[in-house]
């Protein structure tokens, strides 16, 4: 039985997902993108195959997506991350009664996508100009506050005072602002919560440009951060749907599109 691969070459992380013929998630792998987009994606794909005792000939079709998708020479097709994200969120969101709005925050951009009942993209808005509302901002904050990325969530909930308002509209100024806040005596917890609210406020403005319809699905690596999720829910005054593995939704969608393309080719060949 063949498997189908979705390879999402993001600015920060490469995600590889394999699904079976019924779109069940079979295996996945996430590695840092680094400076060799193609080489690292190829290595991640082959190591995922090896870990699961598969050969390249066991993979019926490969769909590449993400920032570096055009570089993946072995892909059978490439699709935009908006198309792949919409497909992944639609499928993963079925268990929650259907998704209409997707908030995706990646390493260096953020997006809001509106989908219809069939999962077709009907509208989207994107911020790829300013790193202050993206994963890059969280990476910078963790580095300056000497925290691991997966400690940011707990920090948010250990807040004692009021979080500072972080105004900078550019990641470079925001970095200076974070260092300035440390120098004025704010605790790490207060600064982390301030950053989460700043990202949530900025992204909610983006989402409001396309309209907010339930259910709202939040994905991308930063959705692993429970503190950021809480800041979004406070800003939006409603619960968000967070998938079990939010960082791989787009690769999962690409894998489903690979399975669909493979089946369409099989029908044509008959
Ligand atoms: P891209 O597709 O643009 O590479 P991702 O959706 O993979 O982006 O998200 C990358 C971002 O996810 C990182 O910049 C980081 O801020 C965040 N991230 C990754 N792992 C974690 C984690 N364990 N906890 C919190 N945030 C994380």
């Amino acid at each position: 039985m063949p498997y189908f691969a979705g390879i999402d070459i993001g600015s920060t992380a490469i995600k590889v997902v394999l699904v079976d013929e019924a779109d069940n998630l079979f295996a996945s792998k996430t590695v840092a993108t680094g400076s060799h987009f193609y080489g690292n994606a190829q290595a991640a794909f082959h190591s995922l195959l090896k870990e699961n005792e598969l050969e390249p000939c066991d993979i019926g079709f490969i769909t590449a997506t993400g920032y570096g998708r055009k570089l993946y020479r072995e892909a059978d097709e490439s699709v935009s991350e908006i198309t792949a994200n919409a497909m992944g969120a639609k499928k993963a969101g079925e268990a929650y009664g259907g998704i209409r709005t997707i908030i995706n925050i990646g390493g260096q951009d953020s997006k809001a996508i509106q989908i219809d009942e069939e999962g077709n993209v009907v509208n989207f808005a994107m911020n790829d100009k300013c790193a202050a509302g993206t994963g890059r901002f969280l990476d910078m904050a963790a580095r300056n506050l000497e925290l691991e990325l997966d400690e940011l969530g707990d920090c948010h909930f250990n807040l004692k005072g009021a979080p500072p308002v972080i105004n900078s509209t550019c990641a470079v100024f925001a970095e200076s602002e974070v260092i300035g806040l440390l120098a004025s005596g704010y605790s790490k917890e207060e600064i982390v919560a301030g950053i989460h609210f700043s990202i949530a406020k900025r992204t909610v403005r983006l989402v409001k440009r396309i309209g907010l319809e339930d259910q709202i699905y939040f994905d991308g690596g930063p959705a692993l951060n429970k503190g950021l999720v809480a800041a979004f829910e406070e800003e939006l005054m409603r619960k968000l749907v967070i998938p079990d593995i939010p960082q791989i939704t787009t690769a999962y969608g690409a894998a489903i599109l690979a399975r669909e393309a493979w089946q369409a080719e099989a029908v044509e060949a008959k």
Side-chain angles (χ1 to χ4, degrees):
M1 188 181 73
Y3 291 95
F4 307 94
I7 304 183
D8 174 12
I9 307 180
S11 64
T12 309
I14 292 163
K15 283 76 65 177
V16 186
V17 165
L18 302 180
V19 298
D20 64 16
E21 272 179 277
D23 296 337
N24 296 308
L25 180 75
F26 174 69
S28 72
K29 192 172 193 71
T30 301
V31 300
T33 304
S35 57
H36 296 287
F37 282 50
Y38 170 66
N40 291 343
Q42 204 190 31
F45 174 64
H46 287 285
S47 89
L48 184 63
L49 292 190
K50 202 162 169 213
E51 283 162 23
N52 291 282
E53 297 176 1
L54 294 172
E55 296 292 332
C57 61
D58 295 316
I59 306 302
F61 202 96
I62 302 175
T63 298
T65 188
Y67 194 56
R69 64 184 180 272
K70 302 276 186 219
L71 297 172
Y72 206 77
R73 300 195 270 281
E74 290 82 6
D76 296 291
E77 68 169 5
S78 72
V79 298
S80 83
E81 51 267 50
I82 292 173
T83 305
N85 198 347
M87 174 55 92
K90 178 198 166 248
K91 191 78 189 169
E94 280 168 3
Y96 302 90
I99 298 299
R100 286 305 184 81
T101 309
I102 304 164
I103 298 174
N104 173 281
I105 303 190
Q108 63 173 33
D109 60 18
S110 50
K111 300 180 206 81
I113 307 169
Q114 201 176 48
I115 59 176
D116 66 15
E117 269 168 32
E118 275 80 48
N120 302 309
V121 175
V122 287
N123 202 356
F124 75 92
M126 184 162 177
N127 156 42
D128 56 359
K129 301 277 178 294
C130 158
T134 71
R136 186 95 354 136
F137 189 17
L138 292 163
D139 301 345
M140 172 282 291
R143 204 173 48 248
N144 282 308
L145 298 171
E146 297 179 322
L147 293 166
E148 296 298 326
L149 272 175
D150 54 14
E151 291 177 304
L152 294 176
D154 284 345
C155 246
H156 183 99
F157 296 110
N158 290 333
L159 172 74
K160 299 230 165 51
V165 175
I166 296 184
N167 290 314
S168 299
T169 51
C170 154
V172 177
F173 291 130
E175 182 158 14
S176 313
E177 200 174 344
V178 166
I179 296 167
L181 289 168
L182 277 173
S184 341
Y186 278 99
S187 69
K188 288 184 184 186
E189 288 77 9
E190 288 162 346
I191 298 173
V192 167
I195 288 167
H196 289 161
F197 283 113
S198 153
I199 294 177
K201 278 192 175 52
R202 185 182 301 271
T203 313
V204 166
R205 280 202 296 273
L206 182 80
V207 186
K208 284 189 172 157
R209 275 176 22 204
I210 61 155
L212 264 171
E213 243 185 285
D214 282 330
Q215 304 266 1
I216 305 170
Y217 185 92
F218 177 27
D219 68 4
L224 289 162
N225 176 338
K226 302 251 181 312
L228 183 62
V229 172
F232 265 105
E233 290 184 336
E234 204 174 313
E235 281 302 312
L236 288 166
M237 291 190 294
R238 54 181 123 182
K239 291 296 272 180
L240 301 179
V241 173
I242 315 293
D244 291 339
I245 9 185
Q247 200 170 8
I248 64 165
T249 308
T250 302
Y252 176 56
I256 295 172
L257 291 166
R259 192 267 307 151
E260 283 186 349
W262 181 83
Q263 278 176 344
E265 276 187 3
V267 169
E268 260 176 42
K270 273 188 190 162

